[in-house]
Amino acid sequence: MANVVADALSKKAENMGSLAFILAAERPLALDIQSLANRLVRLDLLEPSRVLACVVAQSSLLGQIKARQFDDPHLAVLRETVLQGGTKEVSIGEDDALRLQGRLCVPNVDGMRETILEDAHSLRYSIHPGVTKMYCNLRKHYWWRRMKKDIVEYVARCLNCQQVKYEHQRPGGLLQQMSIPEWKC
């Protein structure tokens, strides 16, 4: 199988990607290799008998956030302020993403913030963290106006958190018991 892959790749490299010079039996393999290359998988032939594959992965959420920053009116004003040199805390990175003190500014568009909250709250490795832990985790990477308030509201709406975490909460009531006046008859 490795020889077939190497042969198909070497023929493809020699003939500049033309399928006319590849045997009919090897064409599906060459098409699969091309589709991998289109999905950011880089294939290198270091030796004729070996193929090295390297996958470049990037979060689709990160790309969506960067693309939608232009659609949020508040972030558009912030971007203009940065371009005019009006603020030092906010910067535009090399990837053209708006960041506040290194944290990615999340637009309030198409439920993007809700998606981030849902992912942070329901991931397999951090199932239903409380408000404080969730805020600490998210504020390392993201920023938006009223972020803590949104997190508090999201956790308050989570039925699972309200049922399971109830026993860890202190019961409501008075801090000091009031004395009851005695009635004399």
Side-chain angles (χ1 to χ4, degrees):
M1 181 67 175
N3 289 338
V4 174
V5 172
D7 290 340
L9 286 173
S10 63
K11 287 179 183 177
K12 183 173 174 129
E14 290 171 3
N15 299 309
M16 295 184 202
S18 174
L19 289 176
F21 295 100
I22 297 177
L23 298 174
E26 295 175 353
R27 286 182 186 167
L29 179 61
L31 291 173
D32 288 342
I33 291 170
Q34 183 61 44
S35 73
L36 285 173
N38 292 340
R39 287 189 230 143
L40 302 175
V41 175
R42 193 181 80 226
L43 299 172
D44 290 328
L45 289 174
L46 300 176
E47 296 179 23
S49 62
R50 296 184 184 167
V51 177
L52 174 67
C54 175
V55 177
V56 178
Q58 183 179 5
S59 169
S60 62
L61 181 62
L62 180 63
Q64 290 174 4
I65 290 172
K66 288 192 282 189
R68 300 307 303 259
Q69 282 182 339
F70 295 97
D71 299 337
D72 188 334
H74 175 72
L75 293 183
V77 170
L78 202 54
R79 182 178 290 274
E80 275 301 313
T81 306
V82 170
L83 292 174
Q84 294 174 1
T87 180
K88 293 182 181 178
E89 296 95 22
V90 182
S91 62
I92 299 175
E94 293 177 5
D95 56 352
D96 202 35
L98 193 62
R99 298 179 187 275
L100 176 87
Q101 298 175 344
R103 299 182 292 162
L104 190 62
C105 297
V106 180
N108 191 14
V109 182
D110 291 339
M112 207 149 296
R113 294 176 180 177
E114 190 75 17
T115 302
I116 291 172
L117 292 173
E118 184 177 319
D119 285 349
H121 193 69
S122 302
L123 281 179
R124 177 180 290 175
Y125 299 109
S126 64
I127 299 173
H128 299 280
V131 172
T132 306
K133 177 130 177 89
M134 190 169 161
Y135 177 69
C136 289
N137 291 340
L138 286 178
R139 83 178 297 268
K140 292 176 188 175
H141 306 286
Y142 302 108
W143 174 86
W144 66 81
R145 291 172 53 200
R146 300 185 341 222
M147 183 174 169
K148 190 161 189 170
K149 181 180 178 189
D150 290 348
I151 292 171
V152 168
E153 290 173 358
Y154 185 86
V155 172
R157 287 192 316 256
C158 178
L159 182 62
N160 192 12
C161 285
Q162 299 311 310
Q163 291 174 344
V164 173
K165 307 232 184 229
Y166 177 75
E167 67 252 11
H168 301 294
Q169 298 173 357
R170 293 184 183 186
L174 301 172
L175 294 177
Q176 296 176 358
Q177 203 159 16
M178 295 176 64
S179 61
I180 301 173
E182 294 181 22
W183 290 89
K184 294 184 181 179
C185 298

